[in-house]
Each structure stands twice: as C-alpha cells, then as structure tokens.
Amino acid sequence: MEVARSAVAASILRWNDGLAASSDRMMRQPQADHGQKQQTSGRAQPGDLTQRPITEADMGVDAARFRCPCIFDWSNPMYPASMPSSRKSPLAVVPPPFLYLATFLIGMSAHGLWPWGPAWMHSIVALGRALLVIGVLLAPGNALLFLAERTTINPAARPTKLITQGAYRFSRNPMYVGISLIYAGASIILGSLWPLILLPIPMLVMNAVVIPMEEANAREAFGEQYMAYCRSVRRWL
C-alpha cells in the first residue's frame, strides 16, 4: 500500500513538473520571436523607445535621402520630409537682393568714414567688370527664366515647377551666386575693401536661413524628384 502511494505521488510530481516546463516554454517563445523580429526588421520596436533616444529609424525617416551637397565643405544639415515650411526666420522674409544691398551700403558707409582701398584693387578693375557682367547674366537672367516658366522667385513661397535647365545644371542657386558676383564686382570697381569683407554675412544668411527654407518647400512640392536633383547638383558651386 505504501509503495502504491509513493508511485502515485511521484506521478503527480512529474505531471506538475511537465506543466511548469510547458508553461515556461510558452512564456519564452513570444519573447524570442519578438527579439528575432526586431533584429530582422532593422528598426526599433515601439516598446523600447523609453530606454534610449529616438532616432530617424523610429520616425521612419531615411536620413541619407535628405543629404544635399552644398558649397565646398560648408555644412548642410538634414531636414526630415515632415519639416513644415511654415517655420520661417524673420530674415527669411527679406528679399535676398535687399539683404545684399543693405550689407553693401553698410560697407560703403564704412568706406566713407574710414577709406580702405588698397592699390592692388585698382589693378583688377577688369576682373570686377567681368564678375559684374557674369552676375547680371546669372541673377536677373534666371529670374526672367522663372517668370517665363510661371513659377515663383519668392523664397518663402511654394514653387510650382522644378527648374533644372540652364545654369541650374551646375548650381541649385545660380541667382544667389549671381547676386554675390555683382556685389563683389561692384566692390572691386569702386575700389573699396569694406564691402568685400562684409560679403560673407549675406552669404551665410542665405546658406543657413533662406536656402534651407526654399529646399524644404521644394521637397514638399516635388519629393524624390527634387532629392535626386540635390544629389547631382551642388547648393552653390
């Protein structure tokens, strides 16, 4: 009788152990599947966002698609496709020609107070004239092209057509290159170094404020077509 009781007790213990092992396997299987799915997807799961900083992958943004080459080695920040064009700096509402003109007049005012015209500037007047002519061809010339194509030249407005012909095959902003050349050429012709020293100011404003706003508008309007254009043509030169 005692032997029978022992056999029954042992059977019950083995049955309980089997249930516990089966339950443990059932609990571990979803965790293993979740880990395997997370590795194969290459993208973090929503459940673990509280354990680390949110990245572009969590937002579904392919950051490499939004890199646009820019002038020489100047930094060109990435902008996610969802960046609203309504985020405008106060400087963005100033027409670029007025920004350059204001800087040029400040430089000439400084020249009136403290004349600074090195002798070497008088020997390169021909260069200044050449820069002026090229700048006129690029700036007003491409503005007329925009008007002919019935798209806006307002940096804050949404464009209706992507212009890629003419000078836009070599620069994404030939009008701004042209204005900069007009500015530099006029400074050389007038023999004043002050405006030339101030020239980087409007160029930096354009590169950091105005052009990124235009690029955001163009991405919203043309999508991948514009990004392909960015990958093949530089921001300035």
Side-chain angles (χ1 to χ4, degrees):
M1 195 72 176
E2 189 69 23
V3 174
R5 277 196 204 127
S6 298
V8 170
S11 299
I12 293 173
L13 288 175
R14 283 196 299 271
W15 183 72
N16 285 336
D17 289 341
L19 282 178
S22 177
S23 176
D24 184 62
R25 283 195 301 271
M26 291 176 64
M27 292 294 292
R28 290 183 181 180
Q29 184 64 32
Q31 296 178 2
D33 292 342
H34 175 76
Q36 184 178 7
K37 182 179 179 180
Q38 183 173 357
Q39 291 178 359
T40 55
S41 65
R43 185 172 294 177
Q45 301 300 313
D48 69 340
L49 292 181
T50 58
Q51 306 299 322
R52 56 178 178 73
I54 297 177
T55 65
E56 291 90 347
D58 301 324
M59 297 184 293
V61 174
D62 183 3
R65 292 179 57 208
F66 301 108
R67 290 194 181 94
C68 297
C70 59
I71 184 172
F72 307 126
D73 291 325
W74 292 14
S75 64
N76 187 8
M78 295 176 295
Y79 297 91
S82 58
M83 175 183 179
S85 59
S86 58
R87 292 183 183 176
K88 299 182 179 71
S89 165
L91 289 174
V93 301
V94 179
F98 290 175
L99 179 62
Y100 277 86
L101 179 60
T103 308
F104 185 84
L105 292 177
I106 292 173
M108 292 306 299
S109 298
H111 182 80
L113 296 174
W114 303 282
W116 190 10
W120 58 264
M121 294 191 71
H122 300 288
S123 64
I124 59 171
V125 172
L127 173 62
R129 291 172 180 163
L131 293 177
L132 188 63
V133 171
I134 296 173
V136 169
L137 292 175
L138 288 175
N142 283 290
L144 293 175
L145 173 63
F146 269 52
L147 294 177
E149 296 291 342
R150 298 181 181 277
T151 188
T152 181
I153 60 174
N154 180 2
R158 185 184 180 92
T160 57
K161 184 173 183 179
L162 180 60
I163 306 297
T164 59
Q165 67 266 33
Y168 284 87
R169 293 176 298 169
F170 312 105
S171 171
R172 301 205 307 269
N173 297 281
M175 279 191 277
Y176 301 152
V177 174
I179 297 174
S180 300
L181 294 179
I182 292 173
Y183 183 112
S187 301
I188 294 173
I189 293 171
L190 295 175
S192 177
L193 198 58
W194 281 109
L196 281 178
I197 291 177
L198 298 179
L199 176 58
I201 295 176
M203 293 185 69
L204 287 172
V205 172
M206 299 299 297
N207 197 70
V209 178
V210 178
I211 293 177
M213 179 186 62
E214 286 186 303
E215 290 176 346
N217 289 335
R219 277 192 297 273
E220 291 175 359
F222 307 115
E224 180 58 30
Q225 181 186 6
Y226 179 72
M227 296 315 302
Y229 174 64
C230 284
R231 288 190 288 270
S232 60
V233 179
R234 288 184 174 273
R235 178 181 276 183
W236 289 83
L237 293 173

